Amino acid sequence: HPSPPLAFSNLRQPSYQASSAHSSCTSPDIICHTICRRPNTVMKPTETTKIVGPRTEAPPVTGLQTAAPLVIGSPASSAVSSEPSVTSQAASVASSTRASPEPLATAAVSREPDPQHLIWALDQTQGDEHVTLQNFVNQFGFTDQAIAHSVYKKVIRNSGIHLERREKLAAAFKVFKREGRAKEFWNALKNPSQNVQSSEESHAESSLSREKRKRLIVEEQEEEESTTVDEDTLEEIQDSIPYFRDPFKPLIDYILKKVRGEAANLPQVPALISENHRQMFEWALDAIKVDNPAVPQKGRKKNEFELRKDVLVILSGIINTISPAMRDLSLSDTIEGNSALPTFKTEAYQEAVKGILSDMLHALCPGIESDTLAVPHLKGLQKWVRVQLAKIDETPAAFRETREKVLEVVSYLCTVITSKGLALPNTEYVFVSVWSHVLNLLFDSNLVRAIPGELGSAASESAKLATEKEHGVTTRYVGGKEVDISIRIEQNSDWDTEIAVFEFKPDGVEESICNRQQRKSVRLNTAILLELEKRGLDATKYFPVIAEGKWRAVNFYTLCRYGDVHGAGRTTAESALLPESDYSMKTWLKSDSLHLILALVDRTHLFARAVKEAMSSNVAGPYQPRTSSSRDLPPPI
């Protein structure tokens, strides 16, 4: 889709050219494309590392061979937890400082990481871990303890280093200080018997007053107490759909900086955006201000940044009316009204389904017509179902296939009840497997499948790649979010095309966690819908109904395009249940649960056929959404 008419064309975009050598880096913002990689390795967008350098001019670096101004001392340490010899490291630093005093003086007074420091830390071509305090001082010639510790901690906390490696480096540094080896190292470095400092070094060190050193130590302690990078939030921001990133780009940039612990100012609402996007932008700004007041509340950590999940939904271009907080937006009433489908109970089969459910109820509870408290006998129902399946050919052709599938579902559920398959306690895997089997029994197996098993979503991976291309590296790896059930269609003799995902939570989970799960689900399903729109689908006419479950119950919401946004709303206020005992089977046969499940199947079939048709006839390119107001929206059904 073409981007809205926004004034973002002059923003710097990272380059993603493959290279067999290390790309050059410039200050202050450096994008290193191929460091930490072997030569002749094709670079991927996910491997872009953002390094924030000092706000000073620095000479261009042409490669890792010239990245460090001075190479001093012994080889790198063989492991993070194994520090090099203190005496030998200090002695090597002392001997080299006499030969080259000027770089040392420069390093000693610098309070921010130099680009060369960060390049050195990210260079893993040496094989073993080389980033230790001793090697750092050895490499760059620091002579002041407070400055060296401050700069070193900023280097090992840089977001360009993978989280696991950052944690190991930080832990090793803490052990190094706690065991007193840091003090030993610096004492050995300054011992006149081992090291005679040059006049230039002495001048550089004495230029820092005792008060300045104290201030640096205090700043270092405050930085250690501040909030570290929230990897979970960063990963969720990755999932924010990049398709709508232009209208909300200033706000996404602000959030990323705050989550990383960097200073940032709240952006203003851009001028050239639609009315829907303006309302959404203002809503997100208000939510951020409420959650992060100017005067922090008592007990809150310094620099802690709170980000509610509804803000991520808004940044993904979605108005989610399932969340009460979004119902004040002008488009919410339209979305909520169109999402409630009045024909969601399969009118074509409703009477016939009622008939077969009534027959099964009498088979389960003989004499129920005169005694509503009749005791259920599951074996009687199983025997009746087997007899009906044996003579299925006698059923009229118009309803034969549906009747056969309903009988197979009930037969399977009787087996699950007999084996206590849904009885508590159980795991998420158990009821996800049961739900996927029920859906596959009802789906047209040549058209659509429900695949369980925590498969990675391709749309989620695409969204993360696009987010990193736009905003830089966010988390330690990029991969598709694992989903409980992936709904896929057959295309070109494979089942790789996903059209929706269904998520589930176990029994006993708090309502807040279920709400958070729904926010993730709507973002992920919107990412899938956007991918399908790129392949020609008109999502204003053809849209999915999404199931989200908790144990043996599922709710439904409709996801549809409304002009330049997507909207999600409850499909029906009712929930569909699966029985887990003899008595719950009796209740199930009298309820609307099977009607709702069949309606979900019919709606999924309709959507799957529309997707296949759009993909097979997509000669005019992706569907072009309109920027429209709520008054001229096309009906979604």
Side-chain angles (χ1 to χ4, degrees):
H1 300 285
S3 298
L6 302 179
F8 294 138
S9 59
N10 60 341
L11 292 176
R12 177 175 61 81
Q13 298 292 331
S15 172
Y16 291 84
Q17 296 177 352
S19 173
S20 60
H22 301 292
S23 302
S24 62
C25 306
T26 57
S27 179
D29 294 329
I30 303 170
I31 302 297
C32 299
H33 299 289
T34 56
I35 60 177
C36 310
R37 303 293 167 198
R38 296 187 300 273
N40 301 322
T41 300
V42 178
M43 192 62 213
K44 300 180 181 179
T46 59
E47 296 168 272
T48 302
T49 303
K50 182 165 184 172
I51 305 177
V52 180
R55 299 295 176 180
T56 57
E57 292 298 328
V61 180
T62 57
L64 287 175
Q65 291 76 10
T66 61
L70 191 61
V71 178
I72 310 170
S74 61
S77 170
S78 60
V80 174
S81 60
S82 178
E83 303 289 349
S85 170
V86 171
T87 305
S88 63
Q89 289 284 343
S92 64
V93 173
S95 63
S96 6
T97 56
R98 291 192 293 273
S100 183
E102 292 185 4
L104 297 178
T106 302
V109 298
S110 175
R111 297 176 54 185
E112 295 294 330
D114 188 271
Q116 296 168 354
H117 301 158
L118 301 171
I119 294 173
W120 172 79
L122 290 166
D123 177 22
Q124 293 181 297
T125 57
Q126 303 177 50
D128 295 332
E129 181 58 69
H130 66 288
V131 179
T132 63
L133 177 69
Q134 300 99 311
N135 285 344
F136 184 66
V137 174
N138 184 353
Q139 186 77 3
F140 298 105
F142 285 89
T143 58
D144 185 272
Q145 178 178 351
I147 292 181
H149 284 207
S150 178
V151 176
Y152 178 72
K153 288 182 69 175
K154 291 177 181 178
V155 169
I156 64 176
R157 288 178 176 177
N158 186 273
S159 60
I161 301 175
H162 288 178
L163 174 63
E164 183 178 358
R165 188 175 174 221
R166 289 204 307 267
E167 292 174 345
K168 289 182 178 179
L169 292 174
F173 185 48
K174 287 182 179 179
V175 171
F176 180 66
K177 292 191 297 181
R178 185 170 61 246
E179 293 180 352
R181 288 189 286 159
K183 183 177 181 180
E184 180 185 352
F185 171 75
W186 287 106
N187 287 339
L189 181 65
K190 298 177 181 180
N191 192 333
S193 63
Q194 298 184 24
N195 173 34
V196 180
Q197 292 181 325
S198 65
S199 59
E200 291 86 354
E201 296 168 9
S202 300
H203 174 74
E205 186 171 0
S206 61
S207 63
L208 292 173
S209 65
R210 182 173 300 176
E211 290 75 14
K212 182 178 285 188
R213 276 201 200 91
K214 288 182 178 179
R215 188 173 71 250
L216 288 173
I217 293 173
V218 171
E219 290 177 357
E220 180 183 357
Q221 291 173 348
E222 290 179 348
E223 181 184 358
E224 186 172 353
E225 294 174 356
S226 64
T227 305
T228 56
V229 175
D230 188 342
E231 289 287 334
D232 292 336
T233 303
L234 283 175
E235 185 168 358
E236 287 205 53
I237 294 173
Q238 274 189 320
D239 287 329
S240 292
I241 313 306
Y243 187 89
F244 288 99
R245 66 182 181 270
D246 286 341
F248 308 112
K249 186 180 187 303
L251 197 51
I252 296 175
D253 289 337
Y254 166 80
I255 291 173
L256 282 170
K257 288 180 180 179
K258 295 298 290 185
V259 173
R260 288 168 174 159
E262 303 171 11
N265 295 321
L266 271 172
Q268 299 295 321
V269 180
L272 300 176
I273 59 176
S274 70
E275 177 62 20
N276 288 331
H277 289 158
R278 183 191 63 77
Q279 291 183 22
M280 296 164 75
F281 201 112
E282 291 176 346
W283 186 97
L285 281 177
D286 292 341
I288 291 173
K289 291 176 182 177
V290 170
D291 296 338
N292 301 275
V295 179
Q297 298 176 353
K298 186 177 180 180
R300 230 173 137 171
K301 293 182 180 179
K302 181 182 177 182
N303 297 332
E304 183 178 5
F305 182 75
E306 184 175 339
L307 182 66
R308 68 177 77 171
K309 307 310 172 188
D310 283 333
V311 173
L312 293 178
V313 174
I314 284 287
L315 294 180
S316 302
I318 309 165
I319 298 177
N320 181 30
T321 62
I322 300 170
S323 170
M326 295 190 190
R327 290 175 184 168
D328 293 336
L329 299 173
S330 61
L331 199 57
S332 295
D333 290 342
T334 301
I335 295 172
E336 199 169 18
N338 288 337
S339 297
L341 304 181
T343 59
F344 197 60
K345 289 187 180 178
T346 58
E347 286 184 345
Y349 303 127
Q350 197 164 16
E351 293 303 319
V353 171
K354 283 182 177 180
I356 192 174
L357 288 177
S358 177
D359 292 341
M360 287 190 287
L361 181 60
H362 283 81
L364 176 68
C365 304
I368 193 174
E369 63 276 1
S370 58
D371 182 9
T372 58
L373 300 179
V375 177
H377 298 279
L378 196 64
K379 290 190 178 296
L381 176 60
Q382 288 178 298
K383 181 178 179 181
W384 183 88
V385 168
R386 286 195 293 267
V387 171
Q388 296 302 312
L389 284 172
K391 55 181 184 180
I392 192 66
D393 292 340
E394 300 176 10
T395 305
F399 187 62
R400 183 182 303 160
E401 182 179 0
T402 301
R403 181 181 178 86
E404 183 177 9
K405 289 186 174 184
V406 168
L407 291 170
E408 288 175 347
V409 166
V410 174
S411 176
Y412 169 70
L413 292 177
C414 288
T415 302
V416 171
I417 292 172
T418 302
S419 62
K420 309 295 182 184
L422 286 175
L424 295 175
N426 56 30
T427 64
E428 185 176 306
Y429 170 78
V430 172
F431 52 80
V432 167
S433 299
V434 172
W435 270 109
S436 63
H437 192 79
V438 169
L439 291 174
N440 284 324
L441 286 174
L442 296 173
F443 280 150
D444 180 350
S445 59
N446 295 319
L447 176 64
V448 62
R449 288 173 58 196
I451 305 177
E454 297 292 333
L455 290 176
S457 169
S460 173
E461 183 175 359
S462 298
K464 289 181 179 181
L465 288 172
T467 302
E468 290 210 340
K469 182 177 180 180
E470 184 72 18
H471 302 281
V473 171
T474 56
T475 53
R476 51 187 159 169
Y477 67 92
V478 172
K481 174 178 168 53
E482 294 181 346
V483 298
D484 292 329
I485 296 180
S486 177
I487 306 299
R488 302 191 178 193
I489 61 171
E490 187 275 334
Q491 191 77 5
N492 298 326
S493 300
D494 62 46
W495 294 88
D496 292 337
T497 304
E498 58 185 351
I499 62 173
V501 296
F502 298 166
E503 294 284 8
F504 289 80
K505 285 295 179 186
D507 183 57
V509 172
E510 296 179 358
E511 188 67 22
S512 60
I513 297 179
C514 293
N515 291 338
R516 178 173 177 172
Q517 178 66 45
Q518 193 275 331
R519 308 313 186 256
K520 288 184 179 181
S521 171
V522 73
R523 295 201 321 270
L524 182 52
N525 277 289
T526 303
I528 295 172
L529 193 58
L530 287 166
E531 291 296 320
L532 298 177
E533 287 183 283
K534 291 178 183 178
R535 304 171 79 170
L537 179 72
D538 182 353
T540 64
K541 297 179 180 179
Y542 305 103
F543 50 88
V545 169
I546 308 299
E548 52 171 4
K550 180 180 179 182
W551 187 30
R552 59 190 188 94
V554 293
N555 295 311
F556 309 94
Y557 68 87
T558 307
L559 184 62
C560 184
R561 174 179 282 283
Y562 296 82
D564 56 357
V565 301
H566 286 85
R570 286 291 180 201
T571 309
T572 175
E574 300 175 80
S575 299
L577 298 170
L578 290 183
E580 47 92 18
S581 66
D582 297 17
Y583 282 92
S584 62
M585 172 63 82
K586 178 181 177 181
T587 303
W588 187 78
L589 292 174
K590 295 189 291 183
S591 71
D592 287 331
S593 290
L594 182 59
H595 293 285
L596 295 174
I597 296 172
L598 288 172
L600 173 67
V601 169
D602 285 348
R603 179 62 61 172
T604 304
H605 283 165
L606 177 65
F607 182 60
R609 293 188 185 98
V611 170
K612 294 193 71 169
E613 183 178 355
M615 292 171 61
S616 61
S617 60
N618 182 22
V619 294
Y623 167 71
Q624 301 294 331
R626 298 183 303 153
T627 302
S628 56
S629 67
S630 59
R631 291 189 297 273
D632 62 349
L633 286 171
I637 55 175

